[in-house]
């Protein structure tokens, strides 16, 4: 608790553990706010708090997740990530070694994406059970030239493209949490997707109309958001949705619908009719999107827009926005 | 917990409780990141997480505190606050009525300061005892024309100016927490100080050399930071430091040193020799800085710079960076 008092111990924690791990600047140069060049045009600004448990999971940890999550929110808004903040709420008794690992992972993820962690904050609170932590990242980015993304541009006949198989993040976390043997080789897909979005925008220009990352609530929540925001029905084909056999089996065991499970390195894009092939080709040029596919089509305007899935069996199923909690503390 | 699942209940919480309270935009227009005009010159970017307990205290609450705290970090960095993010980590069982009050308070504070809350996030976690919440605010601002603030500009003979009496925030929170009768009429000083900093910069220009808000760790931590950052001794006069009699009495009862108690609406500024009088005059033009005073002087460069206080009794006392926890969860 004393490390959160704002005194010498806090300064030592920041200078000795946090800054070296995230690759930050000289503590003597720290100010209350970081200066960034304004650039030209539009600034994009976003935030997310991360409460995932456990803090480390197959394929990632809360540090990498927090950095990638905020980079991805900027990316799908059509921005190039520039700078991140990192605010920690640590629970008393958290191992310093664990903190170092998580922060080093956050720093690597940020450097890998060319987005500097430029400002931060550290608080300490009482533990609840096993000492944990929550991480908030906010991010600032510059709008990509040529990006013109909005629900209002989505039209009938547009194609819905997905960058790869579903559910790996949520199932990796759950299987670690539940000690599920079958999913031992299942890794979270946690990854920055800003190169995917930048490539789509630079190659397809205004043919890219809307993008989202299907995190909490999964593809189901993202498609429901698309339908509601655009005021149009959306139809997807089950046999076109990329699937990972291990994830499918794990979802089956846990009684979960893969459509509602969180992803942390996937992209959903709506592109103009006829641009789906090019979009899939561009995406497949990236390892993390090797499984990209066109999965559906935007339909007519509707007062109560629906998402429908054509099932493998030839039926139609309505895909609903998940109601409440399927997987607590998944991100 | 179900309100944190990212599904329909999360959407309802955001659309029905959070956006109306903070005065946010149409939920249908929400995107993963908010767009801001880049403006010209330099962008300032900052973040803070707030874990104060209790969530409501005399003179403020965690919502107002989070908004003011981030506005103030931008303000002392020489920026005009433009946009804020608001990320909530709610504990299960938190009363919706309390959440509404805190968010309405955050919204009022932001609107009052002309800084829009433009992006946010909501998570739900298990409670620890009484259901609480933590709030992260990040902020983006534009650099004020003429602001040139840096440790390197601080020189021997510069004056240290403080905007008013110390300790009101920390003592108001502690007295509420401890049920301390004597301090019942003690209010937190929680307030935005961006008008103070903007007025100083516009009136005094480059004569303003460095600014900070003495929050966690109090004036002692801020002066220690100044001495270490500038590499110079700092001397303050006890009889010049504005004092509030109720705060003094409460600090006495709690065995606390007012110099180390948190403030949330105060400013410490270093100004050029000869500019102290004007700085105090400018500050006293604002209600929240009616008690402004010049409290000390920057001294010679030193390898191990010290902060010394000339005591009322005529002695000299070294003011140290507080070591660890004096007041947990004070902000």
């Amino acid at each position: 608790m004393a490390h959160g008092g704002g005194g010498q111990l806090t300064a030592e924690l920041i200078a000795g553990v946090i800054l070296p791990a995230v690759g930050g600047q000289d503590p003597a140069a720290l100010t209350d706010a970081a200066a960034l060049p304004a650039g030209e045009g539009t600034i994009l600004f976003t935030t997310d708090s991360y409460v995932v448990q456990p803090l480390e999971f197959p394929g990632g940890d809360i540090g990498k997740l927090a950095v990638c999550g905020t980079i991805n929110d900027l990316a799908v808004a059509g921005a190039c990530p520039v700078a991140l903040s990192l605010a920690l709420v640590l629970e008393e008794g958290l191992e310093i070694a664990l903190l170092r690992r998580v922060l080093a992972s956050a720093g690597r993820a940020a450097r890998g994406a060319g987005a500097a962690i430029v400002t931060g904050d550290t608080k300490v609170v009482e533990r609840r059970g096993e000492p944990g932590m929550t991480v908030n990242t906010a991010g600032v980015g510059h709008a990509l030239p040529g990006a013109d993304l909005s629900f209002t541009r989505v039209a009938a006949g547009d194609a819905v493209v997905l960058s790869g198989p579903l559910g790996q993040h949520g199932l990796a976390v759950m299987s670690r949490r539940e000690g599920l043997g079958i999913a031992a080789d299942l890794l979270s897909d946690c990854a920055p997707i800003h190169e995917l979005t930048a490539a789509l925008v630079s190659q397809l220009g205004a043919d890219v109309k809307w993008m989202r990352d299907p995190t909490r609530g999964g593809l189901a929540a993202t498609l429901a958001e698309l339908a509601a925001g655009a005021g149009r029905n959306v139809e997807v084909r089950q046999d076109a949705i990329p699937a990972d056999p291990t994830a499918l089996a794990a979802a089956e065991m846990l009684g979960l619908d893969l459509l509602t499970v969180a992803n942390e390195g996937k992209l959903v894009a709506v592109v103009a009719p006829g641009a789906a092939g090019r979009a899939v080709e561009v995406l497949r040029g990236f390892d993390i999107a090797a499984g990209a596919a066109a999965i559906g089509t935007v339909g007519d305007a509707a007062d109560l827009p629906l998402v429908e899935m054509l099932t493998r069996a030839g039926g139609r199923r309505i895909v609903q926005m998940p109601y409440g909690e399927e997987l607590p503390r998944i991100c």
Side-chain angles (χ1 to χ4, degrees), chain A residues 248-324:
Chain A
L248 266 177
E252 186 100 338
M253 268 191 79
L254 291 163
L256 294 170
D257 177 358
L258 263 189
L259 291 187
T260 66
V261 178
N263 312 280
E264 292 290 346
K266 292 297 179 294
L267 171 66
V268 174
V270 173
V271 301
R278 272 187 300 152
V280 168
E281 194 184 331
V282 167
L283 290 175
R284 287 190 179 165
F286 296 91
D287 287 346
I288 59 168
I295 62 167
T297 314
V298 175
D300 291 332
D303 287 340
L304 289 170
L306 288 179
V307 179
E308 283 191 299
M309 182 163 75
L310 297 178
T311 65
R312 269 194 205 86
R316 303 179 77 87
R317 176 188 139 193
I318 289 179
V319 177
Q320 286 185 290
M321 172 71 95
Y323 184 68

Side-chain angles (χ1 to χ4, degrees), chain A residues 76-246:
Chain A
V76 297
C80 165
V82 172
L84 302 175
S85 65
L86 183 76
L88 309 170
V89 178
L90 311 175
E91 290 178 16
E92 52 169 348
L94 184 74
E95 267 183 64
I96 294 282
L98 172 58
L99 179 61
R100 279 189 211 271
R101 287 198 301 275
V102 161
L103 292 174
S105 172
R108 268 194 307 274
R111 280 191 302 279
I117 295 173
V118 296
T119 184
D121 180 54
T122 306
K123 297 287 191 301
V124 182
V125 300
E126 305 81 6
R127 73 174 77 183
R128 56 186 123 212
E130 193 69 19
M133 64 189 289
T134 63
V135 178
N136 176 280
T137 42
V140 170
H142 289 145
L144 292 169
D148 186 5
L149 305 167
S150 155
F151 282 128
T152 60
R153 296 195 58 234
V154 173
D158 285 351
V160 180
V161 173
L162 172 64
S163 68
L166 295 175
Q168 291 159 330
H169 174 72
L171 291 167
V173 172
M174 282 304 286
S175 66
R176 162 62 60 96
R177 214 189 278 167
E178 308 291 324
L180 211 66
I182 187 177
D185 53 352
L186 197 63
L187 300 182
S188 166
D189 60 339
C190 179
I193 60 168
H194 63 296
E195 292 183 332
L196 276 54
T197 54
L200 277 187
V201 167
S202 86
Q203 303 286 314
L204 277 69
D207 276 354
V208 187
K209 298 183 166 188
W210 186 81
M211 300 192 288
R212 271 298 185 277
D213 50 336
T215 56
R216 253 188 319 177
L219 180 66
T222 297
L223 294 177
E225 194 195 352
L226 168 61
R232 294 182 173 277
N233 297 319
V234 174
E235 188 177 279
V236 294
R237 298 181 306 279
Q238 187 176 26
D239 63 5
I241 298 177
D244 172 67
T246 316

